[in-house]
């Protein structure tokens, strides 16, 4: 018997009822809800691994604990977390620029992390746009997305050339403009959500 505890409520299923883990999830997580946490046999599973587990066959002796949240609440929590992350990154940029210019390996690791973070912010911006249907003109943003895209192109070009002086300059002086764009975008989305809900 598979025991599923969904938001504190216990349900029992037979493994034969489902072709795979994805089918079980589809049957217990209702539309409009998103997965917040997942534990299988007391082991925390990062939500980012869910897609890898969807095709997994089920055993009869499983304890699956699931916590869900409505999509808007989840988005609000995510945006608040991301805003905190962006503000922390912004404070670190002068140190990253200094590490790059001096050839410190920590600077290059930070550049890699920054690149991944910027990519994640853009993915979140796209997802947020799809969920909320708010466009940038409705949000009355002060920064143009084209200007942000141009800064990111300049950074990519500098990275391709391994031009440490330009990379350092862009990180210290231009990347804050990019981060300010995302801060403004996510903050205004949060304000709009709060007005509606």
């Amino acid at each position: 018997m598979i025991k599923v505890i969904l938001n504190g409520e216990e349900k029992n299923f037979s493994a034969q009822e489902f072709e795979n883990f994805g089918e079980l999830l589809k049957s217990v997580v209702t539309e409009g809800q998103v997965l917040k946490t997942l534990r299988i046999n007391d082991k925390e599973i990062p939500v980012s691994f869910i897609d890898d587990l969807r095709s997994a066959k089920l055993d009869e002796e499983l304890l699956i604990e699931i916590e869900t949240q409505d999509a808007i609440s989840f988005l609000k929590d995510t945006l608040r977390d991301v805003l905190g992350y962006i503000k922390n990154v912004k404070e670190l940029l002068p140190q990253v620029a200094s590490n790059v210019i001096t050839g410190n390996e920590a600077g290059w690791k930070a550049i890699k992390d920054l690149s991944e973070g910027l990519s994640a912010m853009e993915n979140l911006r796209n997802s947020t746009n799809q969920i909320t249907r708010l466009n940038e003109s409705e949000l009355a943003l002060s920064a143009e997305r084209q200007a942000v895209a141009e800064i990111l192109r300049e950074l990519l070009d500098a990275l391709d050339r391994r031009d440490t002086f330009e990379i350092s300059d862009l990180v210290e002086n231009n990347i804050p403009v990019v981060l300010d764009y995302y801060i403004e975008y996510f903050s205004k989305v949060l304000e709009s959500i709060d007005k509606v809900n």
Side-chain angles (χ1 to χ4, degrees):
M1 199 50 75
I2 298 172
K3 182 188 290 186
V4 175
I5 301 174
L6 176 65
N7 297 327
E9 186 180 319
E10 187 177 315
K11 298 177 182 184
N12 293 304
F13 300 97
S14 167
Q16 275 55 349
E17 293 178 53
F18 306 101
E19 188 176 321
N20 54 38
F21 182 70
E23 292 289 316
L24 171 72
L25 269 183
K26 196 186 301 181
S27 78
V28 297
V29 177
T30 58
E31 193 171 324
Q33 297 289 305
V34 293
L35 215 51
K36 188 176 178 186
T37 62
L38 173 66
R39 292 177 67 82
I40 299 176
N41 292 339
D42 295 320
K43 185 176 189 302
E44 189 80 31
I45 308 295
V47 175
S48 58
F49 289 178
I50 297 301
D51 286 339
D52 298 336
L53 292 175
R54 287 194 188 280
S55 61
K57 297 291 179 199
L58 296 168
D59 296 330
E60 278 299 333
E61 296 302 315
L62 284 175
L63 169 61
I64 302 173
E65 299 169 80
I66 300 171
E67 188 179 345
T68 63
Q69 189 175 19
D70 70 273
I72 294 296
S73 295
F74 183 76
L75 178 61
K76 286 168 67 173
D77 289 348
T78 301
L79 292 178
R80 286 187 193 106
D81 290 346
V82 167
L83 284 167
Y85 166 79
I86 295 171
K87 289 171 184 166
N88 287 337
V89 167
K90 196 172 170 188
E91 290 174 12
L92 298 173
L93 291 178
Q95 182 62 45
V96 171
S98 173
N99 284 340
V100 167
I101 203 77
T102 59
N104 186 328
E105 190 61 35
W108 294 109
K109 181 183 178 333
I111 291 290
K112 180 180 179 288
D113 293 345
L114 177 63
S115 297
E116 290 171 0
L118 289 168
S119 177
M121 285 178 231
E122 184 58 20
N123 289 339
L124 179 59
R125 189 195 65 77
N126 286 327
S127 297
T128 300
N129 191 328
Q130 290 171 356
I131 293 168
T132 64
R133 301 282 186 234
L134 291 169
N135 64 43
E136 292 179 11
S137 61
E138 289 174 290
L139 295 172
L141 299 177
S142 59
E144 294 273 331
R145 215 158 84 74
Q146 288 82 354
V148 168
E150 182 57 34
I151 291 168
L152 294 175
R153 263 191 298 280
E154 289 172 12
L155 180 62
L156 285 174
D157 290 345
L159 286 167
D160 284 344
R161 294 189 319 274
R162 301 285 285 182
D163 184 336
T164 55
F165 290 108
E166 188 176 355
I167 293 167
S168 177
D169 180 56
L170 287 166
V171 165
E172 190 162 5
N173 299 308
N174 295 54
I175 294 300
V177 173
V178 174
L179 297 180
D180 287 342
Y181 165 82
Y182 285 111
I183 288 171
E184 182 182 22
Y185 179 85
F186 294 137
S187 296
K188 287 192 172 186
V189 168
L190 267 174
E191 288 171 21
S192 296
I193 292 170
D194 285 339
K195 283 180 190 171
V196 173
N197 292 322

